[in-house]
Amino acid sequence: MATRKSTQHSAEELIPPRPTLSSLRAAAADCKACDLWKLGTQTVFGEGRRRSIVMFIGEQPGNEEDLTGKPFVGPAGRLFDAALAAADIDRSQTYVTNVVKHFKWKPRGKRRIHKKPNAQEISACRPWLQTEISLVKPQVIVALGATAAQTLLGSKFRVTKQRGQFIESTLAPYVMATVHPSSILRAPDNETRRLEHHRFLNDLKKLAQLLKA
Ligand code: URA
Ligand code: SF4
């Protein structure tokens, strides 16, 4: 049985009335709706232009994101940046965020190792993401990895089967899921890595094609 340690169990009541991206970000900075605020250095809120056409949604900040307060700036972020550039997509024209906004980690030696957020943390944090989506109103949402894909498209969604396809959703006119860039970094050997990178790039190229249409 999951025990509920925090008094709040959702960020819902912290959403400002008639929020803007900046008032939302300020409110999220003080969020204690789940226990992850104790583990992370700071809330890592989404970043990008209001009314961006594309919103990318990852899982949760990693070590470098936790320290800088910015999403996708660590190793996965650098791979993501390079892939976007190769697909001719300008990151500065997009909005980049995560399902969960605090870094969850466990120690390994001196390092902090990523630990997957659980269902309660995902659901506690969801109002921030939901409100980001309603303010940015993206034409296209791209889920990066299974956590984002299943949060947005349901627990039955399988990235392995449905990656790169535009999925019918009420969240945005176009919703697509692909792998998480860190899964490419974790590939067991160079050949798999090269192949996975190529497939990731193909998914982003489909997105680029849609944007140019
Ligand atoms: N992984 C994510 O899912 N998000 C980040 O911001 C960084 C790494
Ligand atoms: Fe709030 Fe989300 Fe951080 Fe939990 S992870 S404390 S819900 S911002």
Side-chain angles (χ1 to χ4, degrees):
M1 267 276 287
T3 50
R4 196 169 276 154
K5 294 193 199 97
S6 51
T7 45
Q8 293 165 334
H9 50 271
S10 161
E12 190 68 56
E13 60 205 74
L14 303 173
I15 306 294
R18 296 208 264 130
T20 61
L21 277 178
S22 56
S23 72
L24 195 66
R25 166 189 286 274
D30 297 325
C31 184
K32 297 181 169 64
C34 77
D35 287 336
L36 294 185
W37 68 274
K38 297 176 191 166
L39 217 46
T41 307
Q42 57 191 318
T43 305
V44 179
F45 199 69
E47 205 174 63
R49 299 158 65 99
R50 200 177 98 92
R51 298 301 155 91
S52 288
I53 305 290
V54 185
M55 179 182 283
F56 290 100
I57 305 176
E59 181 184 85
Q60 66 174 355
N63 184 59
E64 289 185 42
E65 289 78 15
D66 174 71
L67 298 174
T68 58
K70 293 166 177 292
F72 281 103
V73 294
R78 288 189 282 277
L79 188 150
F80 177 56
D81 283 346
L84 283 179
D88 204 16
I89 298 167
D90 182 355
R91 177 166 169 176
S92 73
Q93 302 294 312
T94 72
Y95 190 90
V96 179
T97 191
N98 284 299
V99 168
V100 167
K101 282 152 168 74
H102 270 98
F103 179 34
K104 185 178 184 182
W105 57 276
K106 57 186 175 199
R108 184 181 295 164
K110 287 186 182 151
R111 292 175 60 211
R112 302 188 298 171
I113 302 295
H114 163 271
K115 206 172 159 193
K116 245 186 178 344
N118 63 36
Q120 193 244 315
E121 291 150 355
I122 291 171
S123 117
C125 211
R126 187 157 182 151
W128 299 121
L129 177 64
Q130 202 59 48
T131 313
E132 286 174 294
I133 295 172
S134 71
L135 291 173
V136 176
K137 295 187 176 61
Q139 291 297 303
V140 195
I141 290 177
V142 180
L144 298 169
T147 299
Q150 294 182 345
T151 299
L152 297 168
L153 297 165
S155 57
K156 293 205 180 80
F157 187 89
R158 290 291 170 266
V159 173
T160 43
K161 291 207 177 109
Q162 288 165 283
R163 66 179 296 172
Q165 299 171 19
F166 290 106
I167 308 290
E168 178 98 18
S169 164
T170 53
L171 295 169
Y174 297 92
V175 179
M176 177 206 272
T178 183
V179 294
H180 195 288
S182 67
S183 71
I184 302 168
L185 296 172
R186 286 196 310 265
D189 53 73
N190 286 340
E191 177 57 19
T192 314
R193 189 169 311 112
R194 197 192 57 76
L195 189 69
E196 283 306 316
H197 196 270
H198 179 74
R199 295 183 71 201
F200 182 55
L201 199 52
N202 267 349
D203 291 345
L204 292 181
K205 283 180 179 164
K206 278 183 217 160
L207 168 65
Q209 237 168 27
L210 173 75
L211 298 178
K212 286 187 183 118

mmCIF file of all heavy atoms in Angstrom, residues 11 14 28 31-37 43 99-102 121 124-126 128, ligand 2:
data_model
loop_
_atom_site.group_PDB
_atom_site.id
_atom_site.type_symbol
_atom_site.label_atom_id
_atom_site.label_comp_id
_atom_site.label_asym_id
_atom_site.label_seq_id
_atom_site.Cartn_x
_atom_site.Cartn_y
_atom_site.Cartn_z
ATOM 1 N N ALA A 11 -0.759 19.130 -6.839
ATOM 2 C CA ALA A 11 -0.414 20.544 -6.952
ATOM 3 C C ALA A 11 -1.633 21.395 -7.328
ATOM 4 O O ALA A 11 -1.526 22.615 -7.417
ATOM 5 C CB ALA A 11 0.695 20.713 -7.993
ATOM 6 N N LEU A 14 -2.404 24.710 -5.832
ATOM 7 C CA LEU A 14 -1.344 25.727 -5.939
ATOM 8 C C LEU A 14 -1.396 26.491 -7.255
ATOM 9 O O LEU A 14 -0.659 27.463 -7.447
ATOM 10 C CB LEU A 14 0.028 25.058 -5.812
ATOM 11 C CG LEU A 14 0.254 24.260 -4.526
ATOM 12 C CD1 LEU A 14 1.577 23.513 -4.595
ATOM 13 C CD2 LEU A 14 0.223 25.183 -3.315
ATOM 14 N N ALA A 28 5.151 27.112 -8.834
ATOM 15 C CA ALA A 28 5.753 25.768 -8.829
ATOM 16 C C ALA A 28 7.055 25.741 -8.025
ATOM 17 O O ALA A 28 7.441 24.705 -7.482
ATOM 18 C CB ALA A 28 6.008 25.289 -10.262
ATOM 19 N N CYS A 31 6.402 24.431 -4.627
ATOM 20 C CA CYS A 31 5.543 23.244 -4.528
ATOM 21 C C CYS A 31 6.114 22.197 -3.566
ATOM 22 O O CYS A 31 7.299 21.874 -3.608
ATOM 23 C CB CYS A 31 5.351 22.619 -5.914
ATOM 24 S SG CYS A 31 4.203 21.231 -5.901
ATOM 25 N N LYS A 32 5.217 21.691 -2.728
ATOM 26 C CA LYS A 32 5.572 20.579 -1.832
ATOM 27 C C LYS A 32 4.477 19.505 -1.904
ATOM 28 O O LYS A 32 4.180 18.838 -0.923
ATOM 29 C CB LYS A 32 5.708 21.088 -0.396
ATOM 30 C CG LYS A 32 6.832 22.103 -0.201
ATOM 31 C CD LYS A 32 6.918 22.542 1.264
ATOM 32 C CE LYS A 32 8.167 23.331 1.600
ATOM 33 N NZ LYS A 32 8.291 24.621 0.920
ATOM 34 N N ALA A 33 3.872 19.401 -3.072
ATOM 35 C CA ALA A 33 2.710 18.513 -3.218
ATOM 36 C C ALA A 33 3.068 17.030 -3.183
ATOM 37 O O ALA A 33 2.194 16.185 -3.015
ATOM 38 C CB ALA A 33 1.942 18.846 -4.495
ATOM 39 N N CYS A 34 4.333 16.702 -3.382
ATOM 40 C CA CYS A 34 4.781 15.332 -3.084
ATOM 41 C C CYS A 34 6.131 15.458 -2.389
ATOM 42 O O CYS A 34 6.649 16.565 -2.236
ATOM 43 C CB CYS A 34 4.873 14.479 -4.360
ATOM 44 S SG CYS A 34 6.335 14.797 -5.375
ATOM 45 N N ASP A 35 6.696 14.345 -1.990
ATOM 46 C CA ASP A 35 7.926 14.413 -1.191
ATOM 47 C C ASP A 35 9.194 14.720 -1.987
ATOM 48 O O ASP A 35 10.269 14.889 -1.402
ATOM 49 C CB ASP A 35 8.127 13.097 -0.431
ATOM 50 C CG ASP A 35 7.141 12.977 0.721
ATOM 51 O OD1 ASP A 35 6.662 14.029 1.195
ATOM 52 O OD2 ASP A 35 6.850 11.848 1.141
ATOM 53 N N LEU A 36 9.079 14.787 -3.304
ATOM 54 C CA LEU A 36 10.302 14.962 -4.100
ATOM 55 C C LEU A 36 10.977 16.319 -3.897
ATOM 56 O O LEU A 36 12.160 16.463 -4.177
ATOM 57 C CB LEU A 36 10.019 14.711 -5.587
ATOM 58 C CG LEU A 36 9.646 13.267 -5.938
ATOM 59 C CD1 LEU A 36 9.498 13.104 -7.446
ATOM 60 C CD2 LEU A 36 10.679 12.290 -5.403
ATOM 61 N N TRP A 37 10.256 17.287 -3.391
ATOM 62 C CA TRP A 37 10.880 18.598 -3.158
ATOM 63 C C TRP A 37 12.019 18.490 -2.139
ATOM 64 O O TRP A 37 12.961 19.283 -2.168
ATOM 65 C CB TRP A 37 9.846 19.634 -2.693
ATOM 66 C CG TRP A 37 9.292 19.361 -1.326
ATOM 67 C CD1 TRP A 37 8.237 18.551 -1.014
ATOM 68 C CD2 TRP A 37 9.778 19.878 -0.080
ATOM 69 N NE1 TRP A 37 8.040 18.522 0.341
ATOM 70 C CE2 TRP A 37 8.966 19.337 0.941
ATOM 71 C CE3 TRP A 37 10.818 20.749 0.273
ATOM 72 C CZ2 TRP A 37 9.156 19.635 2.286
ATOM 73 C CZ3 TRP A 37 11.004 21.056 1.620
ATOM 74 C CH2 TRP A 37 10.178 20.493 2.600
ATOM 75 N N THR A 43 12.705 23.259 -8.106
ATOM 76 C CA THR A 43 11.726 22.859 -9.114
ATOM 77 C C THR A 43 12.304 23.202 -10.481
ATOM 78 O O THR A 43 12.780 24.317 -10.690
ATOM 79 C CB THR A 43 10.407 23.646 -8.935
ATOM 80 O OG1 THR A 43 9.948 23.469 -7.599
ATOM 81 C CG2 THR A 43 9.337 23.174 -9.911
ATOM 82 N N VAL A 99 7.238 15.723 -17.084
ATOM 83 C CA VAL A 99 6.042 15.266 -16.360
ATOM 84 C C VAL A 99 6.183 15.574 -14.867
ATOM 85 O O VAL A 99 5.248 16.031 -14.221
ATOM 86 C CB VAL A 99 5.846 13.748 -16.581
ATOM 87 C CG1 VAL A 99 4.808 13.186 -15.636
ATOM 88 C CG2 VAL A 99 5.462 13.463 -18.024
ATOM 89 N N VAL A 100 7.357 15.313 -14.334
ATOM 90 C CA VAL A 100 7.639 15.537 -12.911
ATOM 91 C C VAL A 100 8.744 16.580 -12.811
ATOM 92 O O VAL A 100 9.703 16.539 -13.577
ATOM 93 C CB VAL A 100 8.057 14.203 -12.232
ATOM 94 C CG1 VAL A 100 8.648 14.437 -10.860
ATOM 95 C CG2 VAL A 100 6.859 13.264 -12.154
ATOM 96 N N LYS A 101 8.584 17.515 -11.880
ATOM 97 C CA LYS A 101 9.452 18.695 -11.907
ATOM 98 C C LYS A 101 10.541 18.747 -10.847
ATOM 99 O O LYS A 101 11.283 19.720 -10.759
ATOM 100 C CB LYS A 101 8.583 19.938 -11.885
ATOM 101 C CG LYS A 101 8.041 20.121 -13.326
ATOM 102 C CD LYS A 101 6.800 20.767 -13.493
ATOM 103 C CE LYS A 101 6.429 21.177 -14.889
ATOM 104 N NZ LYS A 101 6.029 20.089 -15.771
ATOM 105 N N HIS A 102 10.652 17.687 -10.074
ATOM 106 C CA HIS A 102 11.814 17.583 -9.182
ATOM 107 C C HIS A 102 12.621 16.330 -9.540
ATOM 108 O O HIS A 102 12.058 15.330 -9.972
ATOM 109 C CB HIS A 102 11.385 17.496 -7.710
ATOM 110 C CG HIS A 102 11.269 18.835 -7.035
ATOM 111 N ND1 HIS A 102 10.065 19.482 -6.886
ATOM 112 C CD2 HIS A 102 12.214 19.642 -6.488
ATOM 113 C CE1 HIS A 102 10.275 20.637 -6.257
ATOM 114 N NE2 HIS A 102 11.572 20.764 -5.996
ATOM 115 N N GLU A 121 3.635 10.390 -7.418
ATOM 116 C CA GLU A 121 4.403 11.611 -7.711
ATOM 117 C C GLU A 121 3.973 12.196 -9.056
ATOM 118 O O GLU A 121 3.823 13.417 -9.201
ATOM 119 C CB GLU A 121 5.904 11.285 -7.701
ATOM 120 C CG GLU A 121 6.416 10.952 -6.308
ATOM 121 C CD GLU A 121 7.580 9.972 -6.263
ATOM 122 O OE1 GLU A 121 7.990 9.430 -7.316
ATOM 123 O OE2 GLU A 121 8.078 9.726 -5.147
ATOM 124 N N ALA A 124 0.606 13.797 -8.524
ATOM 125 C CA ALA A 124 0.719 15.034 -7.731
ATOM 126 C C ALA A 124 1.212 16.194 -8.596
ATOM 127 O O ALA A 124 0.762 17.332 -8.463
ATOM 128 C CB ALA A 124 1.677 14.810 -6.564
ATOM 129 N N CYS A 125 2.124 15.901 -9.496
ATOM 130 C CA CYS A 125 2.768 16.947 -10.295
ATOM 131 C C CYS A 125 1.971 17.329 -11.538
ATOM 132 O O CYS A 125 2.224 18.367 -12.151
ATOM 133 C CB CYS A 125 4.167 16.473 -10.695
ATOM 134 S SG CYS A 125 5.363 17.800 -10.856
ATOM 135 N N ARG A 126 1.036 16.499 -11.896
ATOM 136 C CA ARG A 126 0.348 16.664 -13.175
ATOM 137 C C ARG A 126 -0.313 18.033 -13.409
ATOM 138 O O ARG A 126 -0.313 18.533 -14.537
ATOM 139 C CB ARG A 126 -0.680 15.545 -13.332
ATOM 140 C CG ARG A 126 -1.263 15.608 -14.693
ATOM 141 C CD ARG A 126 -1.845 14.349 -15.187
ATOM 142 N NE ARG A 126 -2.294 14.671 -16.532
ATOM 143 C CZ ARG A 126 -2.370 13.827 -17.516
ATOM 144 N NH1 ARG A 126 -2.046 12.588 -17.326
ATOM 145 N NH2 ARG A 126 -2.766 14.216 -18.693
ATOM 146 N N TRP A 128 0.709 20.928 -12.895
ATOM 147 C CA TRP A 128 1.670 21.882 -13.495
ATOM 148 C C TRP A 128 1.752 21.668 -15.003
ATOM 149 O O TRP A 128 1.676 22.616 -15.786
ATOM 150 C CB TRP A 128 3.076 21.720 -12.881
ATOM 151 C CG TRP A 128 3.130 21.973 -11.407
ATOM 152 C CD1 TRP A 128 3.529 21.092 -10.441
ATOM 153 C CD2 TRP A 128 2.773 23.185 -10.706
ATOM 154 N NE1 TRP A 128 3.441 21.680 -9.200
ATOM 155 C CE2 TRP A 128 2.983 22.957 -9.327
ATOM 156 C CE3 TRP A 128 2.283 24.437 -11.112
ATOM 157 C CZ2 TRP A 128 2.735 23.923 -8.352
ATOM 158 C CZ3 TRP A 128 2.037 25.405 -10.151
ATOM 159 C CH2 TRP A 128 2.262 25.155 -8.791
HETATM 160 FE FE1 SF4 B 2 5.565 19.507 -6.548
HETATM 161 FE FE2 SF4 B 2 6.068 18.107 -8.727
HETATM 162 FE FE3 SF4 B 2 8.059 18.778 -7.107
HETATM 163 FE FE4 SF4 B 2 6.300 16.930 -6.336
HETATM 164 S S1 SF4 B 2 7.749 16.795 -8.066
HETATM 165 S S2 SF4 B 2 7.061 18.653 -5.086
HETATM 166 S S3 SF4 B 2 4.422 17.725 -7.240
HETATM 167 S S4 SF4 B 2 6.804 20.190 -8.304
#
